[in-house]
Amino acid sequence: MIVEKHENDCFKSCSGHSYIRKNWLGSIVFPFSALLQQSEFSDQIDVLERARIFKRNCKALFPKRRIITTVFNDEGIQILVTRYIKALNPPQQLLDIFLHDSNATLDLIARFVSLIPIMPDTLDENDGFDIWMTSERCISLAIGNKEEHAILLCNFFLYFGKKALVLLGTSMLEGHVAYVLTQETDEYLLWNPLTGQCHKQFDSFCPLQSVDCLFDDGNVWFNIQRNNTPVAVHFDYSKESFWKQLLPKSFQGTKAQSIQVAGFPIQMPYTDVQSVIDAVYQTGIHSSEFPQTEFALAVYIHPYPNNILSVWVYLASLARHQ
């Protein structure tokens, strides 16, 4: 409660002080079994079970087509593949190029991802024990598997506002592959994250043989079209006669929390140190009440003529959502 206190023998119009007083109203205890019956808790369990059944049904339709709905993170927790997708800003050197030529930047980003060494798959992809790293971990360790390369490239494209999804399929040159599908105005593009090459859908030189599965941050789609070669596939995944989706429309508004790191840069002219500190506090990123939240901060100052300085402050917060 906010309590106004005025000086004695003074009208309420006089200046006074405001105090916050907290009154105890009571408490209530819920059994854990009751909490599990609530939608927010049961949905987490139901979605994993739905993903298992969905994969089984898809395999029954087309046994040879690839479908991945859940994987294990680096802590051994099973999660949906959709939680790996989130817009991620590329290194600053690549962002600087975007100011001059947006098309060249996308090609350069694809080239950058292709330079990350690939980690060979040591487990059978059909045994259900895939372990994927986040994009940040992939960059920090400078290594990643095929799917992690595709996820990283997809997340970079999302940062630039591109309509991008991860595509699982097979290639005549590489076997099982993960590509990135982007939708342009009148065509679809297929990006190979291991080579940096981009192919149009009807490019006869594209090594992609089959288009089996798509996923983004909200859903997973399995290709149920008879012909799954890229030139014959209808990529409009909103058509239920072409694509079987994991989550129904009722789930679309309740996306699971991404497991990637949340962060953003602040760019401002330099006047004094206090103004930079104030800008950081105004973001409110420090006021997280989530336990065991970790933070990262870095500052870069770029000099210009006549003692004009540009300040870049990079902020990131990481909270582990189980």
Side-chain angles (χ1 to χ4, degrees), residues 54-319:
F54 177 81
K55 181 177 180 180
R56 183 187 64 193
N57 293 340
C58 290
K59 280 295 185 181
L61 292 174
F62 296 96
K64 294 184 178 181
R65 295 188 184 181
R66 298 187 63 202
I67 172 70
I68 300 178
T69 56
T70 63
V71 294
F72 289 90
N73 64 11
D74 53 7
E75 294 182 342
I77 299 174
Q78 188 179 21
I79 58 176
L80 290 178
V81 294
T82 58
R83 295 184 60 187
Y84 283 84
I85 305 300
K86 183 180 180 180
L88 178 67
N89 58 291
Q92 186 60 42
Q93 298 92 319
L94 303 182
L95 291 177
D96 292 338
I97 299 176
F98 181 77
L99 299 175
H100 306 289
D101 190 341
S102 59
N103 292 328
T105 300
L106 297 180
D107 291 334
L108 187 59
I109 289 174
R111 175 61 177 166
F112 169 75
V113 173
S114 70
L115 295 176
I116 298 176
I118 183 171
M119 178 171 56
D121 295 323
T122 57
L123 297 176
D124 182 2
E125 295 187 29
N126 293 321
D127 63 7
F129 291 99
D130 293 329
I131 301 176
W132 291 358
M133 297 185 296
T134 64
S135 293
E136 290 84 355
R137 184 66 62 85
C138 181
I139 294 178
S140 64
L141 297 180
I143 195 171
N145 62 25
K146 297 176 181 179
E147 291 79 15
E148 289 159 353
H149 276 74
I151 290 171
L152 178 60
L153 183 59
C154 180
N155 291 342
F156 282 162
F157 282 171
L158 291 175
Y159 176 83
F160 290 102
K162 287 289 183 182
K163 183 67 174 178
L165 302 93
V166 174
L167 181 156
L168 301 180
T170 56
S171 165
M172 64 181 70
L173 301 177
E174 303 164 283
H176 287 178
V177 293
Y179 273 46
V180 176
L181 176 73
T182 59
Q183 182 178 353
E184 304 301 327
T185 304
D186 56 350
E187 62 182 351
Y188 290 92
L189 300 180
L190 302 164
W191 299 79
N192 185 341
L194 300 185
T195 64
Q197 292 181 312
C198 174
H199 300 275
K200 296 182 179 180
Q201 178 184 359
F202 302 105
D203 185 355
S204 58
F205 292 97
C206 179
L208 190 65
Q209 278 184 307
S210 70
V211 176
D212 300 335
C213 178
L214 299 173
F215 68 87
D216 62 8
D217 64 337
N219 216 335
V220 179
W221 293 269
F222 182 72
N223 184 7
I224 56 176
Q225 301 167 65
R226 287 296 173 183
N227 191 340
N228 64 341
T229 58
V231 295
V233 167
H234 294 277
F235 281 110
D236 186 358
Y237 47 86
S238 65
K239 305 294 186 181
E240 295 182 3
S241 58
F242 296 151
W243 296 89
K244 183 179 178 64
Q245 62 181 12
L246 168 62
L247 301 177
K249 293 181 179 180
S250 59
F251 280 78
Q252 296 305 301
T254 57
K255 293 181 180 178
Q257 176 72 34
S258 168
I259 64 171
Q260 311 285 6
V261 174
F264 52 88
I266 298 176
Q267 191 278 323
M268 59 186 296
Y270 178 81
T271 54
D272 53 60
V273 173
Q274 189 60 45
S275 62
V276 178
I277 295 176
D278 292 341
V280 172
Y281 277 113
Q282 288 172 3
T283 65
I285 193 173
H286 63 287
S287 61
S288 172
E289 296 181 357
F290 197 89
Q292 299 179 345
T293 301
E294 299 179 12
F295 299 95
L297 182 146
V299 179
Y300 169 72
I301 299 180
H302 190 83
Y304 287 91
N306 299 328
N307 294 323
I308 296 175
L309 303 176
S310 174
V311 180
W312 290 86
V313 181
Y314 297 87
L315 300 169
S317 67
L318 174 64

